[in-house]
Amino acid sequence: MAYFNRIYQFWVHTQLVGKLGFLEYILVTPSNHRAHHGQNTKYIDINYGGTLIIWDILFGTFAAEDEEVRYGITEGVHSWSPIWANTHYFAKMYEMSKQLRGLSKLQVIFRSPSWQPPSSSPSTISSSSSPSSSSTTSPSEPTTFVKFDKGTGMYIGKAVYLVVQFAMAVVLRKVLEVYYVSFSLVSLLIVASSIIAILFTMGLIFHSELTTTFEMMRIIATTVGLSWTVVVDAGLPVDSAVNLFVWLFGAMSALSYFVATSWDVVRSSDDKKIK
C-alpha cells in the first residue's frame, strides 16, 4: 500500500491535467493537489490526502482549485541547504514555544500549521491566523512573498559533483528502505548519517562554504562506515563487488572534488580577467 501511495504521487504533481469532474471529491487529483501546494490565503492548510480526498471533505480541510495557485510556503527558507529546508519549521516551532508558558506550549504541536501565538507578528501571507480570519491577506491581493534568489556562485565542475553525490544519497536511501530490517542499529546509523552528511555538504557547496579538509573527512568517514556495514554487518567478502564499489566511489569522489574545485577556480579567475 505504501508503494501504491508513492507511485500515485507522480501523476498528481502536474499542471497538464485539469479538473476531473466528480473524481475531484473522491480522489486526490492534480487539481486539488495543486491547491495543497499553494501559498494563497484560501489554500493554507487544505487537501492533506495522499490518495483519497474524501477524508479532507469529512474533516473540513478540503478546498477546490478555483483561483491561480501561487506555489510555495508562506515564509522563505532563505537557504539552499536541503537539511535546513526540511528542519527550519522545527526551529520556528521552538521560537513560537518560547512565547508561551506551561502546557500552552503544546499548542505549537497540536494547532494547525498556519497558527501562531497571539503575540506573533503576521507573516507575509497570513500564517499567523486561519484562512477565514479577517486579518488575512485577500486572495486577490498580490503576495508580498519574496523568493530566495541568492546565486550559488558555482560553475559546472561543482554542479556535476553535486549531482553525483546526490545520486549516491538516493541510492543509500533506497538501500536503507529495502534492507533496514536486516541491518544492525549501528549500520542503520551509518547509512542514515552518510545520507545526512551528503545533504549537509550540498548546502555548504551551494553557499560556497565547504572547505576541502571538511569534504575529505566526510568522504573518508562515509567510505569507511559503509565498508564496515558491507563487510562486518552484511557479511560480504572484502573483495566483493559491493565493497569495491564503495571504495571506488569514495576515491572517485575525492578526486572529482579536487578536479571540480580546480576547474571552478580557473573559471572564476577567467571571469575576473574578463571583467
Side-chain angles (χ1 to χ4, degrees):
M1 183 59 69
Y3 280 106
F4 171 77
N5 182 67
R6 182 175 304 174
I7 294 172
Y8 191 86
Q9 302 311 306
F10 280 96
W11 89 282
V12 300
H13 290 90
T14 180
Q15 292 181 298
L16 299 178
V17 180
K19 292 194 175 185
L20 301 177
F22 71 93
L23 291 179
E24 296 291 332
Y25 303 96
I26 302 175
L27 301 174
V28 172
T29 66
S31 176
N32 58 45
H33 197 66
R34 284 193 293 267
H36 167 77
H37 285 290
Q39 60 177 209
N40 310 50
T41 301
K42 70 176 301 179
Y43 293 153
I44 301 298
D45 297 344
I46 54 99
N47 300 355
Y48 292 106
T51 305
L52 298 174
I53 204 67
I54 55 176
W55 306 113
D56 287 285
I57 295 176
L58 289 174
F59 291 102
T61 54
F62 173 78
E65 179 192 28
D66 53 14
E67 67 178 54
E68 183 179 357
V69 179
R70 297 193 300 264
Y71 297 102
I73 56 178
T74 57
E75 297 180 14
V77 178
H78 305 298
S79 173
W80 292 118
S81 170
I83 298 293
W84 183 244
N86 284 277
T87 60
H88 75 280
Y89 195 75
F90 293 102
K92 179 181 177 181
M93 291 173 65
Y94 173 72
E95 291 299 321
M96 288 192 296
S97 70
K98 292 195 297 185
Q99 302 177 40
L100 304 169
R101 295 182 178 180
L103 293 178
S104 62
K105 292 179 180 292
L106 294 176
Q107 294 183 84
V108 174
I109 300 175
F110 295 107
R111 288 271 194 168
S112 69
S114 64
W115 178 86
Q116 286 190 352
S119 60
S120 298
S121 59
S123 107
T124 54
I125 309 273
S126 67
S127 63
S128 61
S129 55
S130 65
S132 60
S133 171
S134 59
S135 65
T136 59
T137 305
S138 170
S140 61
E141 294 178 8
T143 175
T144 56
F145 179 85
V146 178
K147 290 184 177 181
F148 180 70
D149 196 25
K150 177 184 176 183
T152 62
M154 282 194 305
Y155 292 94
I156 187 65
K158 284 185 180 176
V160 172
Y161 180 79
L162 272 178
V163 171
V164 174
Q165 293 300 312
F166 181 71
M168 184 60 171
V170 172
V171 170
L172 292 176
R173 165 65 178 80
K174 190 62 180 179
V175 169
L176 199 62
E177 178 183 357
V178 175
Y179 296 105
Y180 77 95
V181 176
S182 57
F183 277 176
S184 66
L185 177 59
V186 174
S187 291
L188 288 175
L189 291 174
I190 288 174
V191 177
S193 298
S194 298
I195 297 171
I196 294 173
I198 291 174
L199 298 179
F200 182 72
T201 292
M202 291 176 63
L204 294 179
I205 292 178
F206 276 128
H207 289 278
S208 301
E209 298 174 352
L210 181 65
T211 63
T212 300
T213 301
F214 180 88
E215 181 63 352
M216 291 305 104
M217 291 175 61
R218 198 275 303 173
I219 291 173
I220 292 171
T222 299
T223 302
V224 172
L226 293 176
S227 180
W228 184 94
T229 299
V230 170
V231 176
V232 178
D233 198 1
L236 296 177
V238 175
D239 60 350
S240 65
V242 176
N243 193 45
L244 291 177
F245 171 78
V246 168
W247 283 99
L248 179 62
F249 185 84
M252 293 303 296
S253 293
L255 178 62
S256 60
Y257 181 76
F258 280 115
V259 172
T261 303
S262 301
W263 173 267
D264 285 2
V265 169
V266 172
R267 290 294 303 276
S268 179
S269 300
D270 290 343
D271 286 351
K272 289 180 181 178
K273 291 178 181 178
I274 293 173
K275 292 179 181 178

Short mmCIF file of all heavy atoms in Angstrom, two decimals, residues 205-265:
data_model
loop_
_atom_site.label_atom_id
_atom_site.label_comp_id
_atom_site.label_asym_id
_atom_site.label_seq_id
_atom_site.Cartn_x
_atom_site.Cartn_y
_atom_site.Cartn_z
N ILE A 205 28.18 23.58 -0.22
CA ILE A 205 28.65 23.88 -1.58
C ILE A 205 27.79 24.98 -2.21
O ILE A 205 28.30 25.91 -2.83
CB ILE A 205 28.64 22.61 -2.45
CG1 ILE A 205 29.71 21.63 -1.97
CG2 ILE A 205 28.90 22.98 -3.92
CD1 ILE A 205 29.75 20.33 -2.75
N PHE A 206 26.48 24.88 -2.03
CA PHE A 206 25.59 25.89 -2.58
C PHE A 206 25.93 27.29 -2.06
O PHE A 206 25.80 28.28 -2.77
CB PHE A 206 24.13 25.57 -2.25
CG PHE A 206 23.49 24.61 -3.20
CD1 PHE A 206 22.84 23.47 -2.74
CD2 PHE A 206 23.52 24.84 -4.56
CE1 PHE A 206 22.24 22.58 -3.62
CE2 PHE A 206 22.91 23.96 -5.46
CZ PHE A 206 22.27 22.83 -4.98
N HIS A 207 26.36 27.35 -0.80
CA HIS A 207 26.68 28.64 -0.19
C HIS A 207 28.17 28.96 -0.22
O HIS A 207 28.62 29.89 0.44
CB HIS A 207 26.17 28.66 1.25
CG HIS A 207 24.68 28.73 1.36
ND1 HIS A 207 23.98 29.92 1.24
CD2 HIS A 207 23.74 27.77 1.54
CE1 HIS A 207 22.68 29.69 1.36
NE2 HIS A 207 22.51 28.39 1.54
N SER A 208 28.94 28.15 -0.97
CA SER A 208 30.39 28.35 -1.11
C SER A 208 31.09 28.39 0.23
O SER A 208 32.01 29.18 0.47
CB SER A 208 30.66 29.68 -1.87
OG SER A 208 30.05 29.65 -3.14
N GLU A 209 30.67 27.52 1.16
CA GLU A 209 31.24 27.48 2.50
C GLU A 209 31.95 26.16 2.80
O GLU A 209 32.42 25.94 3.91
CB GLU A 209 30.14 27.71 3.54
CG GLU A 209 29.47 29.08 3.44
CD GLU A 209 28.30 29.22 4.39
OE1 GLU A 209 27.93 28.20 5.02
OE2 GLU A 209 27.76 30.34 4.51
N LEU A 210 32.01 25.28 1.81
CA LEU A 210 32.63 23.97 2.04
C LEU A 210 34.15 24.06 1.89
O LEU A 210 34.65 24.56 0.88
CB LEU A 210 32.08 22.93 1.07
CG LEU A 210 32.62 21.51 1.22
CD1 LEU A 210 32.20 20.92 2.56
CD2 LEU A 210 32.14 20.62 0.07
N THR A 211 34.87 23.56 2.89
CA THR A 211 36.33 23.52 2.81
C THR A 211 36.76 22.15 2.31
O THR A 211 36.07 21.15 2.54
CB THR A 211 36.97 23.79 4.17
OG1 THR A 211 36.60 22.75 5.09
CG2 THR A 211 36.52 25.15 4.72
N THR A 212 37.92 22.10 1.67
CA THR A 212 38.44 20.84 1.15
C THR A 212 38.69 19.85 2.28
O THR A 212 38.40 18.66 2.16
CB THR A 212 39.74 21.08 0.36
OG1 THR A 212 39.46 21.96 -0.73
CG2 THR A 212 40.31 19.77 -0.17
N THR A 213 39.22 20.34 3.40
CA THR A 213 39.51 19.47 4.55
C THR A 213 38.24 18.79 5.06
O THR A 213 38.22 17.58 5.29
CB THR A 213 40.15 20.27 5.69
OG1 THR A 213 41.35 20.87 5.24
CG2 THR A 213 40.45 19.37 6.88
N PHE A 214 37.19 19.58 5.21
CA PHE A 214 35.93 19.02 5.71
C PHE A 214 35.38 17.97 4.75
O PHE A 214 34.94 16.89 5.17
CB PHE A 214 34.90 20.13 5.90
CG PHE A 214 33.57 19.64 6.41
CD1 PHE A 214 33.33 19.53 7.77
CD2 PHE A 214 32.55 19.28 5.52
CE1 PHE A 214 32.11 19.07 8.25
CE2 PHE A 214 31.33 18.82 5.99
CZ PHE A 214 31.10 18.71 7.36
N GLU A 215 35.42 18.26 3.45
CA GLU A 215 34.87 17.32 2.47
C GLU A 215 35.68 16.04 2.41
O GLU A 215 35.13 14.94 2.27
CB GLU A 215 34.77 17.97 1.09
CG GLU A 215 34.19 17.07 0.01
CD GLU A 215 32.75 16.64 0.27
OE1 GLU A 215 32.21 16.91 1.36
OE2 GLU A 215 32.16 16.02 -0.63
N MET A 216 37.00 16.14 2.52
CA MET A 216 37.83 14.93 2.53
C MET A 216 37.53 14.07 3.76
O MET A 216 37.46 12.84 3.67
CB MET A 216 39.31 15.30 2.49
CG MET A 216 39.79 15.92 1.18
SD MET A 216 39.43 14.90 -0.29
CE MET A 216 38.03 15.79 -0.99
N MET A 217 37.34 14.72 4.90
CA MET A 217 36.99 13.99 6.12
C MET A 217 35.63 13.32 5.98
O MET A 217 35.44 12.18 6.41
CB MET A 217 36.99 14.94 7.32
CG MET A 217 38.37 15.45 7.71
SD MET A 217 38.31 16.68 9.04
CE MET A 217 37.58 15.71 10.36
N ARG A 218 34.72 14.03 5.34
CA ARG A 218 33.38 13.46 5.12
C ARG A 218 33.43 12.25 4.21
O ARG A 218 32.81 11.21 4.49
CB ARG A 218 32.48 14.55 4.51
CG ARG A 218 30.97 14.29 4.60
CD ARG A 218 30.44 13.44 3.50
NE ARG A 218 30.70 13.96 2.18
CZ ARG A 218 30.42 13.30 1.07
NH1 ARG A 218 29.90 12.07 1.11
NH2 ARG A 218 30.71 13.82 -0.12
N ILE A 219 34.21 12.33 3.14
CA ILE A 219 34.34 11.22 2.20
C ILE A 219 34.99 10.00 2.87
O ILE A 219 34.52 8.87 2.71
CB ILE A 219 35.15 11.65 0.96
CG1 ILE A 219 34.34 12.66 0.14
CG2 ILE A 219 35.51 10.45 0.09
CD1 ILE A 219 35.12 13.28 -1.00
N ILE A 220 36.05 10.25 3.63
CA ILE A 220 36.74 9.14 4.30
C ILE A 220 35.82 8.47 5.32
O ILE A 220 35.71 7.23 5.37
CB ILE A 220 38.03 9.64 5.00
CG1 ILE A 220 39.05 10.07 3.94
CG2 ILE A 220 38.62 8.56 5.90
CD1 ILE A 220 40.26 10.78 4.53
N ALA A 221 35.15 9.26 6.14
CA ALA A 221 34.26 8.71 7.16
C ALA A 221 33.11 7.92 6.53
O ALA A 221 32.76 6.82 7.00
CB ALA A 221 33.71 9.83 8.04
N THR A 222 32.54 8.47 5.47
CA THR A 222 31.44 7.79 4.79
C THR A 222 31.90 6.48 4.17
O THR A 222 31.23 5.44 4.29
CB THR A 222 30.85 8.69 3.70
OG1 THR A 222 30.34 9.89 4.29
CG2 THR A 222 29.72 7.99 2.96
N THR A 223 33.06 6.50 3.51
CA THR A 223 33.58 5.30 2.85
C THR A 223 33.89 4.20 3.86
O THR A 223 33.50 3.03 3.68
CB THR A 223 34.84 5.64 2.04
OG1 THR A 223 34.54 6.66 1.09
CG2 THR A 223 35.36 4.40 1.31
N VAL A 224 34.59 4.55 4.94
CA VAL A 224 34.94 3.56 5.97
C VAL A 224 33.68 3.01 6.62
O VAL A 224 33.55 1.80 6.84
CB VAL A 224 35.87 4.19 7.03
CG1 VAL A 224 36.07 3.23 8.19
CG2 VAL A 224 37.21 4.56 6.41
N GLY A 225 32.73 3.88 6.92
CA GLY A 225 31.49 3.44 7.57
C GLY A 225 30.68 2.50 6.69
O GLY A 225 30.20 1.45 7.16
N LEU A 226 30.53 2.84 5.42
CA LEU A 226 29.76 1.99 4.51
C LEU A 226 30.48 0.67 4.27
O LEU A 226 29.84 -0.39 4.15
CB LEU A 226 29.52 2.72 3.19
CG LEU A 226 28.61 3.95 3.25
CD1 LEU A 226 28.52 4.63 1.89
CD2 LEU A 226 27.22 3.56 3.75
N SER A 227 31.81 0.71 4.20
CA SER A 227 32.58 -0.53 4.03
C SER A 227 32.40 -1.44 5.23
O SER A 227 32.27 -2.66 5.09
CB SER A 227 34.07 -0.20 3.83
OG SER A 227 34.82 -1.39 3.67
N TRP A 228 32.39 -0.87 6.41
CA TRP A 228 32.16 -1.66 7.63
C TRP A 228 30.79 -2.33 7.57
O TRP A 228 30.64 -3.50 7.93
CB TRP A 228 32.25 -0.75 8.86
CG TRP A 228 32.12 -1.49 10.17
CD1 TRP A 228 33.13 -1.98 10.94
CD2 TRP A 228 30.89 -1.83 10.84
NE1 TRP A 228 32.63 -2.61 12.06
CE2 TRP A 228 31.25 -2.53 12.02
CE3 TRP A 228 29.55 -1.62 10.56
CZ2 TRP A 228 30.30 -3.01 12.91
CZ3 TRP A 228 28.59 -2.11 11.45
CH2 TRP A 228 28.97 -2.79 12.61
N THR A 229 29.80 -1.58 7.12
CA THR A 229 28.44 -2.13 7.01
C THR A 229 28.41 -3.30 6.04
O THR A 229 27.78 -4.33 6.31
CB THR A 229 27.46 -1.03 6.54
OG1 THR A 229 27.45 0.03 7.49
CG2 THR A 229 26.06 -1.60 6.37
N VAL A 230 29.09 -3.17 4.92
CA VAL A 230 29.10 -4.21 3.89
C VAL A 230 29.83 -5.46 4.37
O VAL A 230 29.33 -6.59 4.22
CB VAL A 230 29.75 -3.69 2.59
CG1 VAL A 230 29.99 -4.83 1.60
CG2 VAL A 230 28.89 -2.60 1.96
N VAL A 231 31.01 -5.29 4.97
CA VAL A 231 31.86 -6.43 5.33
C VAL A 231 31.45 -7.04 6.66
O VAL A 231 31.27 -8.26 6.78
CB VAL A 231 33.34 -6.01 5.37
CG1 VAL A 231 34.22 -7.17 5.85
CG2 VAL A 231 33.78 -5.53 4.00
N VAL A 232 31.29 -6.22 7.69
CA VAL A 232 31.03 -6.73 9.03
C VAL A 232 29.56 -7.08 9.24
O VAL A 232 29.23 -8.17 9.73
CB VAL A 232 31.50 -5.72 10.09
CG1 VAL A 232 31.19 -6.24 11.50
CG2 VAL A 232 32.99 -5.45 9.94
N ASP A 233 28.69 -6.17 8.89
CA ASP A 233 27.27 -6.39 9.17
C ASP A 233 26.62 -7.29 8.12
O ASP A 233 25.93 -8.26 8.45
CB ASP A 233 26.54 -5.05 9.24
CG ASP A 233 25.19 -5.16 9.94
OD1 ASP A 233 24.84 -6.27 10.37
OD2 ASP A 233 24.50 -4.14 10.06
N ALA A 234 26.84 -6.96 6.84
CA ALA A 234 26.23 -7.77 5.77
C ALA A 234 26.98 -9.08 5.55
O ALA A 234 26.44 -10.01 4.94
CB ALA A 234 26.17 -6.97 4.48
N GLY A 235 28.23 -9.17 6.01
CA GLY A 235 28.99 -10.41 5.88
C GLY A 235 29.54 -10.68 4.50
O GLY A 235 29.92 -11.82 4.19
N LEU A 236 29.62 -9.67 3.65
CA LEU A 236 30.17 -9.87 2.31
C LEU A 236 31.70 -9.84 2.36
O LEU A 236 32.29 -9.19 3.23
CB LEU A 236 29.67 -8.78 1.36
CG LEU A 236 28.15 -8.75 1.10
CD1 LEU A 236 27.81 -7.58 0.19
CD2 LEU A 236 27.68 -10.05 0.50
N PRO A 237 32.36 -10.54 1.45
CA PRO A 237 33.83 -10.55 1.42
C PRO A 237 34.39 -9.14 1.17
O PRO A 237 33.73 -8.29 0.57
CB PRO A 237 34.16 -11.48 0.24
CG PRO A 237 32.94 -12.30 0.05
CD PRO A 237 31.78 -11.43 0.41
N VAL A 238 35.62 -8.94 1.64
CA VAL A 238 36.27 -7.65 1.45
C VAL A 238 36.40 -7.32 -0.03
O VAL A 238 36.28 -6.16 -0.44
CB VAL A 238 37.66 -7.65 2.12
CG1 VAL A 238 38.40 -6.34 1.82
CG2 VAL A 238 37.53 -7.86 3.61
N ASP A 239 36.63 -8.35 -0.85
CA ASP A 239 36.78 -8.12 -2.29
C ASP A 239 35.47 -8.28 -3.06
O ASP A 239 35.48 -8.47 -4.28
CB ASP A 239 37.83 -9.07 -2.86
CG ASP A 239 37.46 -10.54 -2.66
OD1 ASP A 239 36.48 -10.81 -1.92
OD2 ASP A 239 38.14 -11.42 -3.24
N SER A 240 34.36 -8.19 -2.35
CA SER A 240 33.07 -8.27 -3.04
C SER A 240 32.85 -7.04 -3.90
O SER A 240 33.45 -5.97 -3.67
CB SER A 240 31.93 -8.39 -2.01
OG SER A 240 31.84 -7.21 -1.24
N ALA A 241 31.98 -7.18 -4.89
CA ALA A 241 31.71 -6.07 -5.82
C ALA A 241 31.13 -4.87 -5.10
O ALA A 241 31.47 -3.72 -5.42
CB ALA A 241 30.75 -6.55 -6.91
N VAL A 242 30.30 -5.13 -4.09
CA VAL A 242 29.67 -4.02 -3.36
C VAL A 242 30.72 -3.23 -2.60
O VAL A 242 30.74 -1.98 -2.63
CB VAL A 242 28.59 -4.55 -2.40
CG1 VAL A 242 28.01 -3.40 -1.57
CG2 VAL A 242 27.49 -5.27 -3.16
N ASN A 243 31.61 -3.93 -1.90
CA ASN A 243 32.63 -3.24 -1.12
C ASN A 243 33.62 -2.51 -2.03
O ASN A 243 34.04 -1.39 -1.72
CB ASN A 243 33.39 -4.23 -0.23
CG ASN A 243 34.24 -3.54 0.82
OD1 ASN A 243 33.78 -2.61 1.47
ND2 ASN A 243 35.48 -3.98 0.97
N LEU A 244 33.97 -3.13 -3.14
CA LEU A 244 34.86 -2.47 -4.09
C LEU A 244 34.21 -1.21 -4.65
O LEU A 244 34.89 -0.19 -4.86
CB LEU A 244 35.23 -3.43 -5.23
CG LEU A 244 36.13 -4.61 -4.84
CD1 LEU A 244 36.34 -5.52 -6.05
CD2 LEU A 244 37.47 -4.11 -4.30
N PHE A 245 32.90 -1.26 -4.89
CA PHE A 245 32.19 -0.08 -5.38
C PHE A 245 32.23 1.04 -4.35
O PHE A 245 32.42 2.21 -4.71
CB PHE A 245 30.74 -0.43 -5.70
CG PHE A 245 29.89 0.78 -6.01
CD1 PHE A 245 29.95 1.39 -7.24
CD2 PHE A 245 29.03 1.30 -5.04
CE1 PHE A 245 29.18 2.52 -7.52
CE2 PHE A 245 28.27 2.43 -5.31
CZ PHE A 245 28.34 3.03 -6.55
N VAL A 246 32.06 0.69 -3.07
CA VAL A 246 32.09 1.70 -2.01
C VAL A 246 33.43 2.44 -2.01
O VAL A 246 33.49 3.67 -1.97
CB VAL A 246 31.83 1.05 -0.64
CG1 VAL A 246 32.14 2.03 0.49
CG2 VAL A 246 30.37 0.59 -0.54
N TRP A 247 34.53 1.66 -2.06
CA TRP A 247 35.85 2.27 -2.03
C TRP A 247 36.17 3.02 -3.32
O TRP A 247 36.79 4.08 -3.30
CB TRP A 247 36.92 1.21 -1.75
CG TRP A 247 36.95 0.82 -0.31
CD1 TRP A 247 36.37 -0.26 0.26
CD2 TRP A 247 37.58 1.55 0.75
NE1 TRP A 247 36.59 -0.27 1.61
CE2 TRP A 247 37.34 0.83 1.94
CE3 TRP A 247 38.32 2.72 0.82
CZ2 TRP A 247 37.81 1.26 3.18
CZ3 TRP A 247 38.79 3.16 2.05
CH2 TRP A 247 38.53 2.42 3.22
N LEU A 248 35.69 2.49 -4.44
CA LEU A 248 35.91 3.17 -5.72
C LEU A 248 35.17 4.50 -5.74
O LEU A 248 35.71 5.52 -6.19
CB LEU A 248 35.47 2.28 -6.87
CG LEU A 248 35.62 2.87 -8.29
CD1 LEU A 248 37.09 3.16 -8.57
CD2 LEU A 248 35.04 1.92 -9.33
N PHE A 249 33.94 4.48 -5.26
CA PHE A 249 33.15 5.71 -5.25
C PHE A 249 33.79 6.74 -4.32
O PHE A 249 33.83 7.93 -4.63
CB PHE A 249 31.71 5.43 -4.79
CG PHE A 249 30.82 6.64 -4.88
CD1 PHE A 249 30.22 6.98 -6.07
CD2 PHE A 249 30.60 7.45 -3.77
CE1 PHE A 249 29.40 8.10 -6.17
CE2 PHE A 249 29.81 8.57 -3.85
CZ PHE A 249 29.20 8.90 -5.06
N GLY A 250 34.32 6.28 -3.18
CA GLY A 250 34.99 7.20 -2.27
C GLY A 250 36.21 7.84 -2.91
O GLY A 250 36.42 9.06 -2.81
N ALA A 251 37.02 7.00 -3.58
CA ALA A 251 38.23 7.51 -4.23
C ALA A 251 37.88 8.48 -5.35
O ALA A 251 38.50 9.55 -5.50
CB ALA A 251 39.06 6.34 -4.77
N MET A 252 36.88 8.11 -6.16
CA MET A 252 36.47 8.97 -7.26
C MET A 252 35.84 10.28 -6.75
O MET A 252 35.99 11.33 -7.38
CB MET A 252 35.48 8.23 -8.17
CG MET A 252 36.09 7.05 -8.92
SD MET A 252 37.50 7.56 -9.95
CE MET A 252 36.69 8.65 -11.12
N SER A 253 35.16 10.20 -5.61
CA SER A 253 34.57 11.42 -5.03
C SER A 253 35.67 12.40 -4.63
O SER A 253 35.58 13.60 -4.91
CB SER A 253 33.71 11.07 -3.81
OG SER A 253 32.57 10.34 -4.18
N ALA A 254 36.71 11.87 -3.97
CA ALA A 254 37.82 12.74 -3.55
C ALA A 254 38.51 13.35 -4.76
O ALA A 254 38.78 14.56 -4.79
CB ALA A 254 38.81 11.93 -2.72
N LEU A 255 38.78 12.52 -5.75
CA LEU A 255 39.46 13.01 -6.96
C LEU A 255 38.61 14.03 -7.71
O LEU A 255 39.10 15.09 -8.11
CB LEU A 255 39.80 11.83 -7.87
CG LEU A 255 40.47 12.19 -9.21
CD1 LEU A 255 41.81 12.87 -8.96
CD2 LEU A 255 40.65 10.93 -10.06
N SER A 256 37.34 13.70 -7.88
CA SER A 256 36.46 14.60 -8.64
C SER A 256 36.24 15.91 -7.91
O SER A 256 36.06 16.96 -8.54
CB SER A 256 35.11 13.92 -8.92
OG SER A 256 34.45 13.58 -7.71
N TYR A 257 36.27 15.89 -6.57
CA TYR A 257 36.11 17.14 -5.83
C TYR A 257 37.30 18.06 -6.08
O TYR A 257 37.14 19.27 -6.28
CB TYR A 257 35.95 16.89 -4.33
CG TYR A 257 35.76 18.17 -3.55
CD1 TYR A 257 34.53 18.83 -3.58
CD2 TYR A 257 36.80 18.74 -2.83
CE1 TYR A 257 34.34 20.02 -2.89
CE2 TYR A 257 36.62 19.94 -2.14
CZ TYR A 257 35.40 20.56 -2.18
OH TYR A 257 35.22 21.75 -1.51
N PHE A 258 38.51 17.48 -6.07
CA PHE A 258 39.71 18.28 -6.36
C PHE A 258 39.65 18.84 -7.77
O PHE A 258 39.97 20.00 -8.01
CB PHE A 258 40.97 17.44 -6.18
CG PHE A 258 41.41 17.30 -4.75
CD1 PHE A 258 41.41 16.06 -4.13
CD2 PHE A 258 41.82 18.41 -4.03
CE1 PHE A 258 41.82 15.93 -2.82
CE2 PHE A 258 42.24 18.29 -2.71
CZ PHE A 258 42.24 17.04 -2.10
N VAL A 259 39.22 18.01 -8.72
CA VAL A 259 39.12 18.46 -10.11
C VAL A 259 38.08 19.56 -10.24
O VAL A 259 38.30 20.59 -10.90
CB VAL A 259 38.78 17.28 -11.03
CG1 VAL A 259 38.48 17.77 -12.45
CG2 VAL A 259 39.92 16.26 -11.05
N ALA A 260 36.91 19.34 -9.60
CA ALA A 260 35.83 20.32 -9.69
C ALA A 260 36.25 21.65 -9.06
O ALA A 260 35.98 22.73 -9.61
CB ALA A 260 34.59 19.78 -8.98
N THR A 261 36.93 21.57 -7.91
CA THR A 261 37.38 22.79 -7.24
C THR A 261 38.40 23.54 -8.10
O THR A 261 38.32 24.77 -8.26
CB THR A 261 38.01 22.46 -5.88
OG1 THR A 261 37.06 21.75 -5.07
CG2 THR A 261 38.43 23.73 -5.15
N SER A 262 39.33 22.80 -8.67
CA SER A 262 40.34 23.42 -9.53
C SER A 262 39.71 24.05 -10.76
O SER A 262 40.07 25.16 -11.18
CB SER A 262 41.38 22.37 -9.96
OG SER A 262 42.01 21.80 -8.84
N TRP A 263 38.75 23.34 -11.35
CA TRP A 263 38.05 23.85 -12.54
C TRP A 263 37.33 25.14 -12.21
O TRP A 263 37.40 26.12 -12.98
CB TRP A 263 37.07 22.79 -13.02
CG TRP A 263 36.16 23.25 -14.13
CD1 TRP A 263 34.92 23.80 -14.00
CD2 TRP A 263 36.42 23.22 -15.54
NE1 TRP A 263 34.38 24.10 -15.22
CE2 TRP A 263 35.29 23.75 -16.19
CE3 TRP A 263 37.51 22.79 -16.30
CZ2 TRP A 263 35.22 23.88 -17.55
CZ3 TRP A 263 37.43 22.92 -17.68
CH2 TRP A 263 36.30 23.45 -18.29
N ASP A 264 36.65 25.18 -11.07
CA ASP A 264 35.90 26.37 -10.70
C ASP A 264 36.83 27.55 -10.40
O ASP A 264 36.50 28.70 -10.69
CB ASP A 264 35.02 26.08 -9.48
CG ASP A 264 33.80 25.25 -9.86
OD1 ASP A 264 33.69 24.88 -11.04
OD2 ASP A 264 32.98 24.97 -8.97
N VAL A 265 38.00 27.26 -9.82
CA VAL A 265 38.98 28.32 -9.56
C VAL A 265 39.45 28.94 -10.86
O VAL A 265 39.56 30.17 -11.00
CB VAL A 265 40.17 27.78 -8.75
CG1 VAL A 265 41.31 28.81 -8.72
CG2 VAL A 265 39.74 27.42 -7.33
#
